[in-house]
Amino acid sequence: MFDGQNVFFDSDATYGKSWGLKEYLEYTNTQMIVVAPACNQNPDNGRLKEYTPYPFKDKTFGNIKSLGKITMEWFVNELKPTIDNTFRTLSDRNNTFIAGSSMGGLMSLYAILEYNHIFSRAAALSPSIWTGPQKLAKMIKNANINPDTVVYMDYGTEELPRYKHMIQKFAMISSVLMKKNIRLNARIVPNGTHSEASWEKQIPFFVETLLYEK
């Protein structure tokens, strides 16, 4: 998972509220190892650069270069092997998933598309598709996807107005994913906001999708 500082503990979370994923996994006795590195917190848009698969321009953040490939190469070639060599994992593609929210959600889509030989399922909560919807759509169309690929994707009703035509962009990306025969679970979350508190409420939905029939 991306943005690891926000995944487990409120004391580590950027805004003082985490996903509370540790409590959920323990309460439900879910047999899953979750590896969640923190993001780059350099004030010079470090997180945006680390978590974008393509460069983009924004009136608020300026020109953002892409370090997403470098990030994923580290995930795949350094982080995953270390975890597999240290813990009792099921290391095959069928049991390897990726997840994140916001820019981390965008990276989860990138990972499942470009590293489909590593990841079989992905959860993208409130993915930042506003950064380049046409670039993302092209990436999906060009991706070599295994037919058993599963994607969970959602967006909250309260965050849709943040960007122009967001509902249309979400629908377009959903459609392109489905045309690639990806097994997509797409949701519009009632009263959902762009926050850890809202994403925490979606844990049962995306975890059940990732573990469906497993």
Side-chain angles (χ1 to χ4, degrees):
M1 290 186 69
F2 295 95
D3 288 309
Q5 73 280 0
N6 296 329
V7 171
F8 300 115
F9 306 108
D10 291 352
S11 58
D12 295 330
T14 304
Y15 302 107
K17 176 70 183 79
S18 73
W19 294 44
L21 186 61
K22 178 178 181 290
E23 287 79 2
Y24 176 85
L25 296 178
E26 290 178 345
Y27 181 77
T28 57
N29 193 30
T30 300
Q31 299 301 299
M32 178 187 291
I33 295 175
V34 178
V35 182
C39 70
N40 185 332
Q41 300 188 39
N42 188 307
D44 184 26
N45 295 317
R47 178 175 175 272
L48 294 181
K49 296 172 184 176
E50 182 180 50
Y51 283 2
T52 183
Y54 42 70
F56 69 92
K57 184 177 182 179
D58 180 77
K59 63 181 179 181
T60 300
F61 302 111
N63 292 312
I64 303 298
K65 67 177 183 178
S66 169
L67 300 179
K69 182 174 177 59
I70 294 174
T71 300
M72 284 311 307
E73 289 294 314
W74 178 78
F75 265 63
V76 168
N77 296 318
E78 295 188 42
L79 179 61
K80 184 179 178 341
T82 299
I83 298 301
D84 290 334
N85 290 330
T86 305
F87 299 96
R88 191 179 61 174
T89 64
L90 298 174
S91 60
D92 60 296
R93 174 185 177 275
N94 191 46
N95 289 287
T96 305
F97 317 138
I98 195 158
S101 62
S102 192
M103 293 297 293
L106 176 64
M107 283 293 287
S108 296
L109 292 176
Y110 170 56
I112 200 71
L113 296 170
E114 298 298 312
Y115 296 83
N116 196 252
H117 60 294
I118 301 293
F119 304 101
S120 62
R121 302 187 175 195
L125 289 76
S126 307
S128 298
I129 58 181
W130 57 268
T131 57
Q134 296 303 326
K135 293 179 180 179
L136 179 58
K138 182 178 179 181
M139 186 182 300
I140 297 169
K141 293 175 183 177
N142 293 336
N144 184 16
I145 298 293
N146 192 295
D148 67 352
T149 300
V150 174
V151 171
Y152 169 94
M153 185 170 67
D154 70 18
Y155 226 86
T157 57
E158 300 306 301
E159 58 178 323
L160 287 172
R162 294 181 64 186
Y163 298 100
K164 190 175 181 180
H165 304 310
M166 194 62 221
I167 187 66
Q168 290 88 346
K169 294 172 183 175
F170 183 83
M172 184 269 289
I173 294 299
S174 297
S175 176
V176 178
L177 285 169
M178 293 179 70
K179 288 178 180 177
K180 291 291 288 190
N181 294 319
I182 288 175
R183 300 173 184 179
L184 175 67
N185 181 357
R187 300 174 60 233
I188 297 294
V189 179
N191 302 314
T193 61
H194 201 83
S195 68
E196 280 69 27
S198 182
W199 296 324
E200 179 181 19
K201 295 178 182 177
Q202 313 319 313
I203 291 176
F205 294 95
F206 81 78
V207 169
E208 286 298 317
T209 299
L210 294 179
L211 293 178
Y212 187 71
E213 293 188 334
K214 292 192 177 295

